[in-house]
Amino acid sequence: MRRMKWLLSTAVVLFFVACSPVAHVEKDPSVNLGNYNTYAWVEARSSKDSSNDKRSADLAKLSVMNEVNAQLQKKGWRLDEKNPDVLVSYDVLVERNVHQVNDPVYSAPFVRYYYNPYFRRWGTIYYPSRFIGYDSYNIPVREATLTLTMIDARTDKEIWQGWSTQQVDSRVLSKKEIRSGVKSIFKKFG
């Protein structure tokens, strides 16, 4: 019974790990992030989109900023618009991509019948399926990359950058996708 519970809990953990986006972080090795306490947001460039796209982009912007603010405040940082130590910006890129899928192909199992004259009976030989190769095909997907950048406010030097890429269903990220992307980036913060 204990072993069954352990296997079930391991399966649940692996499921959630597999569903979370993979994050990557680059940091200036000469910089100690512990020396920074305050941050401010850098305004992103305004785009000339239609009103519907602009509204959904504003909602995505608000979601990204709220989630990053929450994660930074957990780390002990505070928002200071007047005299920040770090300037924070973000970028979201949604692009079409193609994933190649390889499925294994097996032959069909079959049975061969033969006559045994010594016993005067019919016998059977079972031949199991055999591996033949792979069937490859392409699936079109949309991938969203969320990039967070931190710049030292005094020197204008980029000190930290983190990004995560995940498959999405639409051109605009949902709150859930934003939350999982930001959380996976901040797991490697520091």
Side-chain angles (χ1 to χ4, degrees):
M1 187 67 178
R2 250 171 64 181
R3 185 171 185 207
M4 185 65 134
K5 286 180 184 179
W6 181 82
L7 285 173
L8 183 61
S9 64
T10 303
V12 168
V13 168
L14 288 176
F15 174 75
F16 283 114
V17 168
C19 292
S20 66
V22 178
H24 305 280
V25 171
E26 286 187 7
K27 178 187 164 202
D28 185 356
S30 65
V31 174
N32 182 6
L33 289 176
N35 296 338
Y36 298 102
N37 299 341
T38 60
Y39 68 97
W41 283 97
V42 177
E43 280 299 314
R45 296 184 299 270
S46 62
S47 59
K48 296 179 174 90
D49 295 334
S50 67
S51 63
N52 266 351
D53 288 343
K54 186 159 176 54
R55 264 188 246 127
S56 61
D58 288 342
L59 289 174
K61 175 184 175 182
L62 186 61
S63 295
V64 169
M65 290 175 76
N66 286 341
E67 191 61 37
V68 171
N69 286 339
Q71 292 294 326
L72 283 173
Q73 288 169 2
K74 280 183 186 176
K75 304 282 185 188
W77 291 43
R78 64 180 166 70
L79 184 63
D80 184 5
E81 297 290 334
K82 295 183 181 180
N83 190 18
D85 297 332
V86 174
L87 301 174
V88 180
S89 67
Y90 79 94
D91 184 37
V92 176
L93 173 68
V94 179
E95 61 186 354
R96 293 180 188 194
N97 204 347
V98 176
H99 281 206
Q100 185 176 16
V101 177
N102 296 319
D103 289 336
V105 178
Y106 295 93
S107 67
F110 63 94
V111 176
R112 187 177 131 214
Y113 296 99
Y114 67 94
Y115 181 73
N116 187 340
Y118 184 73
F119 292 111
R120 295 183 183 156
R121 292 188 196 171
W122 284 93
T124 59
I125 298 176
Y126 175 73
Y127 293 94
S129 62
R130 293 177 28 190
F131 177 71
I132 295 175
Y134 289 99
D135 182 21
S136 297
Y137 55 94
N138 294 328
I139 297 176
V141 295
R142 287 185 187 209
E143 289 184 339
T145 302
L146 173 65
T147 306
L148 299 173
T149 306
M150 292 185 175
I151 301 169
D152 189 318
R154 290 173 190 76
T155 63
D156 282 338
K157 182 179 163 187
E158 187 175 300
I159 58 172
W160 184 87
Q161 186 173 42
W163 66 93
S164 69
T165 302
Q166 60 184 321
Q167 288 186 16
V168 294
D169 296 329
S170 66
R171 291 186 334 204
V172 180
L173 291 170
S174 69
K175 275 187 169 185
K176 182 179 177 184
E177 292 164 342
I178 290 171
R179 183 175 298 120
S180 67
V182 170
K183 282 185 179 181
S184 66
I185 292 171
F186 274 96
K187 283 181 184 174
K188 296 185 176 187
F189 181 76

